[in-house]
Amino acid sequence: MSEYDGGVDYGHIETGEQHESLDQLHQVDASQEDYQSQFGVYEQDHAAAESTSFDQGQHVEYTGADGSHYEESDFTSYDHSAAETDHIFAAEGSESYNASEYHELDAFQARLDAAFASATEINTVSA
């Protein structure tokens, strides 16, 4: 059958391209700080005192009938003194500081290209 025998219906034909893009931005900012301190003071005292005293004595005195005189003295003395002191002082300490920062920036870009074609049917009508 030819197109002169009847009507021909041509459909719609379309061709083209599509262009799309995708942009994505991701950003992270972080920071951390640490501070530590530790101090200690130690002190110790010690004191001692000692005192010793020892006394001994003897005294003899004699007067006789004939007028004689006798006198004797013995004496012992002992003294002891001691003193002791101790002092200990100690101090220690530590201090620390730490800081860190983190920055991240991610960028993602994609381009999507597509070609397309579409058509409808061609129908011929017979007479």
Side-chain angles (χ1 to χ4, degrees):
M1 208 183 220
S2 73
E3 31 181 304
Y4 298 105
D5 294 338
V8 177
D9 183 18
Y10 291 103
H12 179 75
I13 299 174
E14 181 180 358
T15 60
E17 293 183 3
Q18 289 180 334
H19 302 287
E20 296 180 17
S21 64
L22 175 65
D23 293 327
Q24 184 179 12
L25 185 63
H26 181 73
Q27 182 175 358
V28 175
D29 291 316
S31 65
Q32 179 179 354
E33 293 186 31
D34 294 325
Y35 174 76
Q36 295 178 348
S37 66
Q38 181 177 358
F39 292 97
V41 176
Y42 309 101
E43 188 167 352
Q44 179 181 1
D45 287 321
H46 171 75
E50 180 180 337
S51 178
T52 304
S53 178
F54 175 73
D55 296 323
Q56 183 180 16
Q58 179 183 8
H59 181 72
V60 175
E61 185 172 344
Y62 174 74
T63 303
D66 60 353
S68 63
H69 183 73
Y70 174 77
E71 185 175 345
E72 177 184 343
S73 292
D74 292 327
F75 197 84
T76 303
S77 178
Y78 172 76
D79 289 324
H80 170 73
S81 295
E84 180 179 340
T85 181
D86 295 324
H87 182 82
I88 298 172
F89 177 79
E92 67 175 352
S94 65
E95 186 175 29
S96 66
Y97 174 75
N98 182 23
S100 62
E101 293 185 9
Y102 176 75
H103 303 287
E104 179 181 319
L105 179 64
D106 291 334
F108 175 73
Q109 183 179 21
R111 184 169 173 90
L112 306 171
D113 295 328
F116 69 91
S118 66
T120 57
E121 318 182 345
I122 298 176
N123 293 321
T124 57
V125 179
S126 55

